Amino acid sequence: MKEINFDRILMIPGPTMVSSTVLSTMAYPIIGHRTKDYGNILEDTVEKMKRVFRTKGDVFTITGSGTAAMDMAITNTVDKGDKVLVIANGNFGERFSKIAEVYGANIIMLENEWGDNAKPQDVKKILEENPDIKVVTIVHNETSTGVANPIKEIGEIVKEYNALYIVDTVSSLGGDYVDVDKFNIDICVTGSQKCLAAPPGISAISISEKAWEVINSTKSKSFYLDIKAYKKRYESKKETPYTPSVSLTYALSKALDRVLEEGLENRVKRHKRLAKATIAGLEAMGIELFAKEWARSITVTSAKYPEGIVDSEFRGILSNKYNISIAGGQGQVSGKIFRVGHMGEAREYHVLGTLGAIEMAFNELGYNAEGGVNAAMDVLKL
Ligand code: PLP
């Protein structure tokens, strides 16, 4: 393997830093996946995942990243010609439409300007006009823009109609407040490598009773992602249908222990605090935030570059000189914004260090920034 600087602070919005207790489980010996021992680990992981999702429904883990779980949600519920309402205000919202398109869905897009969030009344209007919508998709935390969508309020609306409610919580579960059953979510998908702070490569999906009714009357278009096969194997033997990543199951299990030990409410509080400090720091430096005030995520903060600052130069200084990785923009905001992830294992010192490095990088590039760290400390002192 080529020499890599492993000592960087990872402040991108996923994958996030993984604690050494979780990482070390990846070195445990591999065991057979059709053994009682593995079945016990899988069952324990699934039960913990249910507590984190806050659901009494079924939960499965998938060897594959968050997109595999998104794909599984769609392929098992959408037949050719089915009407799907895709609520999108960023890259990952749009991903649902790309997946639904593969399966020949009749897609209705409800798009909001990037940086703003979805409006429940717009969802209601479309559902009223289209009583035959089968599935509604939304991303809770739109990582590409640093926006949080009102999934609870939209869930209350979708419940009044016949449609299934599919929610992506890839960059919110374990960081922001999610309650699958209370929010009337029929299918919730998440990934390991964001707020759950496990390595990338394993994802999870929750399925409500209403979702099973739809799944049972939908033809699965995928072999690997056929959820009925997952259910059959899990219920009969506590196994997955195909060979799982045994090491990632260990790691996810340990990461979920950490999430549950800290407590879901405490984690939301920590993420809110870090978001507040990051925002205060950037605003003190005179940086304009990208997400509208009412729409801001608590796990990732997006901000506009001041005039004249070049993304690659700025992030190059942060990475090469100060050993801190943050993300740039994607799609239509590529080169225009940067994003600081403060999720998973992120703590106060990571945020303060990142803001200090951001301040120094801006000054090096000729943008006069000051007071960011002090402003963040003022928030963190409280
Ligand atoms: N959904 C959201 C909100 C994400 O942030 C991501 C990844 O960044 C994905 C889906 C896709 O997940 P993955 O890259 O794990 O396939």
Side-chain angles (χ1 to χ4, degrees):
M1 198 161 96
K2 261 181 104 179
E3 194 102 331
I4 295 176
N5 175 6
F6 285 116
D7 294 324
R8 288 204 187 91
I9 298 181
L10 203 51
M11 298 297 281
I12 58 174
T16 61
M17 294 171 284
V18 178
S19 83
S20 54
T21 49
V22 171
L23 274 182
S24 57
T25 66
M26 300 279 286
Y28 291 175
I30 301 299
I31 57 172
H33 63 293
R34 307 250 178 259
T35 60
K36 186 97 186 83
D37 281 342
Y38 184 77
N40 288 340
I41 293 172
L42 182 64
E43 187 175 20
D44 179 52
T45 308
V46 164
E47 289 306 312
K48 287 185 290 206
M49 212 52 245
K50 283 185 190 175
R51 285 170 63 196
V52 175
F53 272 133
R54 299 187 212 237
T55 185
K56 293 197 166 31
D58 289 316
V59 166
F60 304 94
T61 56
I62 308 149
T63 297
S65 70
T67 307
M70 293 171 84
D71 199 349
M72 181 182 255
I74 302 294
T75 185
N76 287 283
T77 56
V78 175
D79 276 323
K80 196 162 187 261
D82 284 344
K83 239 185 209 181
V84 176
L85 170 59
V86 174
I87 304 167
N89 38 19
N91 204 25
F92 297 105
E94 286 175 9
R95 184 165 297 181
F96 267 129
S97 73
K98 289 181 184 157
I99 298 170
E101 205 181 312
V102 169
Y103 300 114
N106 175 3
I107 299 164
I108 301 178
M109 288 297 285
L110 172 54
E111 287 183 278
N112 274 95
E113 182 197 342
W114 285 31
D116 201 354
N117 59 6
K119 309 291 173 233
Q121 66 273 20
D122 294 342
V123 178
K124 190 174 174 60
K125 186 165 177 283
I126 295 179
L127 284 168
E128 229 10 83
E129 288 165 1
N130 298 272
D132 53 343
I133 286 176
K134 189 180 183 190
V135 164
V136 176
T137 70
I138 190 165
V139 172
H140 182 200
N141 191 79
E142 182 44 81
T143 325
S144 63
T145 56
V147 159
N149 280 312
I151 55 166
K152 177 173 182 280
E153 292 74 6
I154 292 176
E156 272 159 23
I157 290 168
V158 178
K159 184 180 75 172
E160 302 301 320
Y161 298 82
N162 225 355
L164 275 193
Y165 190 37
I166 298 181
V167 181
D168 165 335
T169 60
V170 171
S171 63
S172 60
L173 192 81
D176 201 350
Y177 175 45
V178 176
D179 189 322
V180 166
D181 290 353
K182 261 204 195 131
F183 294 0
N184 305 298
I185 299 173
D186 291 302
I187 301 185
C188 190
V189 297
T190 200
S192 54
Q193 78 277 23
K194 311 252 176 184
C195 302
L196 299 179
I202 186 166
S203 51
I205 189 165
S206 79
I207 310 284
S208 73
E209 265 179 45
K210 181 173 159 192
W212 278 125
E213 283 170 27
V214 173
I215 291 166
N216 288 332
S217 61
T218 304
K219 189 174 168 297
S220 178
K221 276 82 47 204
S222 168
F223 182 81
Y224 191 74
L225 297 174
D226 179 355
I227 198 157
K228 292 188 212 86
Y230 284 69
K231 181 178 166 68
K232 202 167 153 199
R233 266 293 172 154
Y234 187 76
E235 285 182 352
S236 61
K237 297 196 153 162
K238 298 289 176 280
E239 288 178 7
T240 51
Y242 322 110
T243 313
S245 169
V246 173
S247 310
L248 283 172
T249 315
Y250 301 151
L252 179 60
S253 177
K254 186 53 125 187
L256 291 172
D257 286 341
R258 288 176 68 80
V259 169
L260 293 166
E261 271 158 27
E262 182 176 359
L264 293 169
E265 272 105 32
N266 288 338
R267 280 180 87 87
V268 175
K269 270 191 213 148
R270 174 164 60 82
H271 282 79
K272 270 192 187 153
R273 213 167 113 76
L274 296 183
K276 219 170 144 193
T278 306
I279 288 168
L282 292 173
E283 285 187 329
M285 288 185 239
I287 303 298
E288 197 187 332
L289 295 185
F290 180 65
K292 311 266 189 221
E293 200 177 340
W294 58 86
R296 284 179 195 156
S297 154
I298 64 165
T299 68
V300 52
T301 297
S302 57
K304 295 182 189 171
Y305 278 120
E307 191 104 10
I309 299 291
V310 177
D311 175 58
S312 57
E313 288 175 8
F314 173 71
R315 289 191 300 118
I317 295 172
L318 283 177
S319 174
N320 301 328
K321 200 160 172 183
Y322 301 117
N323 289 336
I324 293 176
S325 296
I326 64 168
Q330 298 180 326
Q332 57 175 265
V333 288
S334 172
K336 296 186 183 139
I337 68 167
F338 60 94
R339 294 171 300 143
V340 179
H342 30 74
M343 59 176 100
E345 290 289 340
R347 310 279 149 179
E348 283 84 349
Y349 66 96
H350 298 118
V351 166
L352 293 173
T354 303
L355 287 169
I358 286 177
E359 201 167 306
M360 287 190 283
F362 273 142
N363 281 297
E364 190 172 329
L365 293 171
Y367 172 78
N368 186 16
E370 56 186 8
V373 178
N374 279 335
M377 285 196 299
D378 285 342
V379 169
L380 297 172
K381 269 193 305 226
L382 299 175

